[in-house]
Amino acid sequence: MAKKDFELTWKEIPVGAIVHEPGNASEYQTGDWRSQMPVLDRDKCVKCGICYRFCPEPCIVKDDEGYYVADLFYCKGCGICAYECPKDAITIVKEEH
Amino acid sequence: MAKRVGAEGSFAVAEAVRLADTDVVAAYPITPQTHIVERLSEMVADGDLNANFIYVESEHSAMSACLGSAAVGARTFTSTAGQGLELMHEVLYLASSMRLPIVMAVTDRALSGPLNVWGDHSDAMATRDCGWIQYFAENAQEAFDLTLCAFKIAEHHDVLFPVMVHMDGFHVSHVVEPYLLPDKEELGDFLPPIDYPYPLDPNKPVSMGAFAPPAVYSECRKAQDVAVNGTIAAVANVWNEFNKQLGRQYKPIETYKTEDAETILIAIGSFNQMASVAVDKMRAEGKKVGLVRIRLWRPFPLAAFRQAIKSAKNIVVFERSMSYGGTVGPVCAEVKSALYGIKDAPRVTSFIGGLGGRDMSPKHFEGLFKRAQEIFDKNLDIQYETIGVRE
C-alpha cells in the first residue's frame, strides 16, 4: 500500500473501494486491537504446535529453535492459545499502553 | 422499423432486456416476481436471448448472483418487487458501494402486512437510501425505453452505479397497452457492448467488497455519495441521446402545464397520468394548476426541481407510501427539504393514497386540489392526510 488507510483522503478512494493490491491485508496491524498478550515459557513448552493450530488469526509462527511464538504485529490477544496449551506454557499478560 | 405492439409493461421490459443482449439474468421466479422474468426465461429457452438464466432460491441470492456477474463484466439484469425487494435489501447496498452496473426493474408493490401484492411505493421508498440510481417509468413505453437506457447509464464510465427502473405494480406491469418496439437497426450504436473497467481477472487480481475500518469508512462513503450525486448530468445525457436515436425525450424532472401555475401537484409514478387529466380539466376551467413529475428520484435532481416549481405559491404532494411515525411521507419530506431556505417558498400540503392497489381517478386528483385549497385558505395545521379512507 502506497499510503496507509488512515492517510487516504476521500478523493483517493478507488472506484468501488476496490483493493488493487491483493493480499495487502498482511499489512494491516491487527495487533493494534490487543490489550493483553501471550507470553511463552520455553521451559514448559514441548513444541506440540496445538497453539499454532488453534490460533484464529493465525499469527503463531515456528521460530528457528522450533518454538511456536505469536507475531505481535497480528496477535489480537484473544487468549485461545493459552486456553488450549496442555502444558500451561502460555500465560496472558495485560499490556500497559 | 418500430413495430406497434400491444403488451403488458412486463413484456415490454423483457423486450428491452433482449434488445440489450443481456448476458446474465439472475432472478427468483415465484411471487412477488412478475412476467418480466417469465418472459425472459422463455426467450432464453427459445434461443431468442443468448443469456445465462440463473434460477435462484431467493431474491437475496438473486442480487448476490448479480454482484458476481457484474463483477466479471457481464451485462446483468434482474427484477423483483415488494417483499422480494425487501429480502434483497442487504445486498443492494453492496451493489452500489462496489459500483457494479446492474440493472433491475422493480414493479413497485405494497409491503405486508396485511399481505398485499398490489401496487404502491412502499418497497421503492424502503430502498430510497441504498445508493442506486432510481427512476420511474409511468407506462409500458417508458418501461421499455427507460430499461434500455438503464444499461447505458449504469455501464457509463462516468457513472458505474446500479440502476433501478421503477414502474407501478399492476398499473404498468400487468396492463396490456400499445408501445413502439424498435428493432436493432433503429437502435444503431446507442447501446454498445458492456466495457466494465475493473472486471475480476485472475491475471490482474483485485479485492472487491473488502472491509474498511473506522479510519477509512467515512472516506469511502463520502466518495460514493459525491459520485452518485455527480451522475445527474450523465443520466440526462443518456436520455438526450435516446431522444436523438428514437425520438422520445425523458428528463429528470418532467413538467406539465407549470409555466404560470400557482398550484403545482407533485407526484411519482403512473398515477401522474390520471393527475394530468385532472390538470387539463381544471386548466379548461381557468385554474392555474400544473403537474411536476419526479422521474429521477435518486440522485434527487435538486436544481431542476427548484426550477420546475418556480411559479408555485402552493404545492400539493401526492404519494403512495407512508413513513410510519414520521412527520410526512418520504416524497413530501424530500420536497420540503428541497424547498427549505428558498425565498418566498411555496406552502406545501401532503396527501397519501393509492395504497396497496387502491385506484386514483382524475376525479380523485381534482378532489386533492380542492382539499389542498381548503387547507391553505383556512390555514389548517395538517401535516398530511391519508385520502380515500373510510372514516
Side-chain angles (χ1 to χ4, degrees), chain B residues 115-190:
Chain B
L115 199 156
N116 177 302
V117 296
W118 285 266
D120 76 23
H121 294 162
S122 299
D123 57 354
M125 292 304 150
T127 59
R128 183 187 59 178
D129 298 332
C130 71
W132 285 50
I133 293 171
Q134 304 190 41
Y135 53 70
F136 284 75
E138 297 179 7
N139 55 41
Q141 186 71 64
E142 293 189 3
F144 173 86
D145 294 349
L146 294 173
T147 302
L148 204 58
C149 290
F151 290 103
K152 192 176 174 82
I153 292 168
E155 295 164 9
H156 197 293
H157 286 196
D158 293 344
V159 178
L160 292 177
F161 274 103
V163 176
M164 241 184 254
V165 186
H166 290 281
M167 61 208 72
D168 289 344
F170 292 92
H171 285 94
V172 177
S173 63
H174 289 64
V175 170
V176 176
E177 56 179 314
Y179 77 103
L180 290 171
L181 172 60
D183 56 27
K184 268 231 151 106
E185 215 168 288
E186 260 183 294
L187 283 187
D189 54 6
F190 174 73

Side-chain angles (χ1 to χ4, degrees), chain A:
Chain A
M1 219 188 298
K3 263 188 173 183
K4 296 287 179 206
D5 55 7
F6 55 81
E7 294 170 333
L8 288 171
T9 70
W10 69 268
K11 287 179 186 167
E12 294 167 325
I13 301 292
V15 170
I18 291 173
V19 178
H20 290 275
E21 306 152 68
N24 71 359
S26 65
E27 293 168 37
Y28 188 63
Q29 189 179 355
T30 48
D32 256 6
W33 309 6
R34 199 176 59 241
S35 62
Q36 51 182 20
M37 61 187 275
V39 176
L40 179 67
D41 182 341
R42 292 180 185 233
D43 292 339
K44 289 185 184 171
C45 176
V46 294
K47 303 177 181 174
C48 67
I50 286 179
C51 57
Y52 167 82
R53 280 190 281 278
F54 272 92
C55 176
E57 188 44 37
C59 72
I60 295 179
V61 287
K62 207 174 181 175
D63 72 6
D64 295 342
E65 295 170 57
Y67 289 105
Y68 291 91
V69 287
D71 183 339
L72 295 179
F73 186 82
Y74 300 118
C75 172
K76 295 169 181 165
C78 69
I80 289 175
C81 52
Y83 182 84
E84 296 293 342
C85 178
K87 295 291 178 189
D88 292 330
I90 302 171
T91 40
I92 293 294
V93 179
K94 258 216 160 87
E95 287 181 273
E96 301 294 334
H97 287 286

